[in-house]
Amino acid sequence: MSFSLHGNRSSKTFKPKKNIPEGSHQYELLKHAEATLGSGNLRMAVMLPDGEDLNEWVAVNTVDFFNQINMLYGTITDFCSEDSCPVMSAGPKYEYHWADGTNIKKPIKCSAPKYIDYLMTWVQDQLDDETLFPSKIGVPFPKNFMSVAKTILKRLFRVYAHIYHQHFDAVMQLQEEAHLNTSFKHFIFFVQEFNLIDRKELAPLQELIEKLTTKDR
């Protein structure tokens, strides 16, 4: 699937987009989120709407962040190769090894594109699992939903961290920095609002987080 950014320059998505079924309650929630985002106040936009279920709100936004990160990484895949990024890192102090607990139990060292491929495929599998992310009204979320969502968001953060540390020049070259910054700021406000990622996990981008969020306090 391809999409177009800035006129006729097309760029590939990395994985197929995860669609929330139209007409469903989650679709209405997504529309609500998009409308409040349009107001420009990101702190307000991430808050749980009155009377809504927290699990459902986290689920809708997690799908949305997956799609955003998928698209952002899709724009720079040409710059992220086995040669340019032989390890998955976020600067010299942070290196990530992949394990999903089922297919790969012991963490393995791999290149960034390989790691991100594993990561996005794993996230997609979780989002497609109706027992974890039920899309039908009235189907309850499992008891472990929040811990699964936290793991997904923690891992998606690593893709942002890799893009910022290793590929920000490419992002600027493509004139995507405003798009990346807005997406990341939205992500950070969301995980901070519901305490979804441990502070230590955010360390690779702590300075940037402070810079992006202090203006909105």
Side-chain angles (χ1 to χ4, degrees):
M1 169 180 161
S2 73
F3 58 92
S4 181
L5 287 169
H6 309 304
N8 58 9
R9 185 175 60 73
S10 79
S11 150
K12 54 185 183 288
T13 32
F14 177 61
K15 296 269 172 215
K17 196 170 179 227
K18 167 80 181 164
N19 287 317
I20 289 175
E22 272 190 55
S24 67
H25 183 59
Q26 290 185 11
Y27 187 78
E28 297 306 313
L29 271 181
L30 183 64
K31 288 287 158 235
H32 170 88
E34 284 170 0
T36 47
L37 272 174
S39 72
N41 186 333
L42 288 170
R43 285 237 182 258
M44 292 285 292
V46 298
M47 288 176 182
L48 180 67
D50 287 348
E52 293 298 347
D53 175 58
L54 178 61
N55 284 346
E56 195 150 41
W57 183 237
V58 169
V60 165
N61 281 277
T62 300
V63 170
D64 191 36
F65 288 126
F66 169 76
N67 287 334
Q68 286 184 43
I69 293 165
N70 193 2
M71 191 171 84
L72 287 161
Y73 183 69
T75 63
I76 58 106
T77 46
D78 292 345
F79 302 91
C80 186
S81 66
E82 303 277 330
D83 295 332
S84 67
C85 303
V87 293
M88 174 63 178
S89 66
K93 288 196 283 190
Y94 302 97
E95 188 177 304
Y96 300 114
H97 295 176
W98 179 254
D100 57 16
T102 44
N103 299 325
I104 300 171
K105 291 190 169 67
K106 194 175 171 211
I108 57 166
K109 189 170 175 169
C110 52
S111 68
K114 189 76 187 147
Y115 183 100
I116 293 170
D117 187 37
Y118 278 136
L119 187 158
M120 297 303 264
T121 302
W122 176 83
V123 172
Q124 201 170 19
D125 288 346
Q126 311 309 301
L127 300 181
D128 288 341
D129 184 341
E130 280 287 326
T131 63
L132 280 177
F133 279 78
S135 59
K136 294 178 181 66
I137 290 179
V139 177
F141 282 83
K143 287 192 170 57
N144 67 334
F145 170 75
M146 211 46 93
S147 71
V148 173
K150 285 179 176 180
T151 304
I152 290 172
L153 292 164
K154 175 181 80 176
R155 290 176 171 176
L156 288 175
F157 168 81
R158 295 171 181 178
V159 185
Y160 280 120
H162 180 72
I163 293 172
Y164 271 111
H165 276 283
Q166 309 301 128
H167 300 295
F168 197 66
D169 286 351
V171 170
M172 285 172 69
Q173 202 181 315
L174 296 166
Q175 299 179 318
E176 291 287 342
E177 63 271 33
H179 186 174
L180 174 64
N181 287 341
T182 304
S183 173
F184 181 61
K185 192 171 173 181
H186 179 203
F187 178 87
I188 287 301
F189 281 172
F190 189 80
V191 299
Q192 285 178 341
E193 175 73 12
F194 303 107
N195 200 17
L196 297 168
I197 302 183
D198 284 347
R199 193 180 161 89
K200 67 176 192 306
E201 285 286 340
L202 300 173
L205 293 177
Q206 197 52 51
E207 275 178 47
L208 176 68
I209 291 168
E210 279 162 22
K211 198 168 131 189
L212 288 175
T213 56
T214 42
K215 293 177 203 157
D216 291 79
R217 283 206 177 116

